[in-house]
Amino acid sequence: MTELFGDATPFWGSIASRALGWRPTEFWQATPQELVASLGSPSGATTTAPPSQETIRKMIERDSNG
């Protein structure tokens, strides 16, 4: 991992420790892909547009008649 991150390795180790609660052993045993996946968006998260007002109205109507 040192080769991939170079001088930034301590920075990424600190991020993994604070954000993920990883101990040094967990950091050094992880692959770079695992680190990126762990720091990325939750699985299945999307960046789609919010629902339209019409969609919201239909959901409110559907759920209030439940």
Side-chain angles (χ1 to χ4, degrees), residues 1-4 9 11-12 15-17 20-21 23 25 30-31 36 38 49-50 58-59 62 66:
M1 188 176 304
T2 303
E3 296 80 30
L4 288 170
T9 300
F11 169 79
W12 289 111
I15 294 293
S17 173
L20 304 172
R23 295 175 301 252
T25 301
T31 66
V36 169
S38 297
K58 288 178 181 179
M59 290 187 319
R62 179 197 68 211

Side-chain angles (χ1 to χ4, degrees), residues 17-37:
S17 173
R18 287 183 283 137
L20 304 172
W22 286 7
R23 295 175 301 252
T25 301
E26 294 163 322
F27 174 74
W28 288 111
Q29 289 178 347
T31 66
Q33 292 81 7
E34 290 169 329
L35 178 60
V36 169

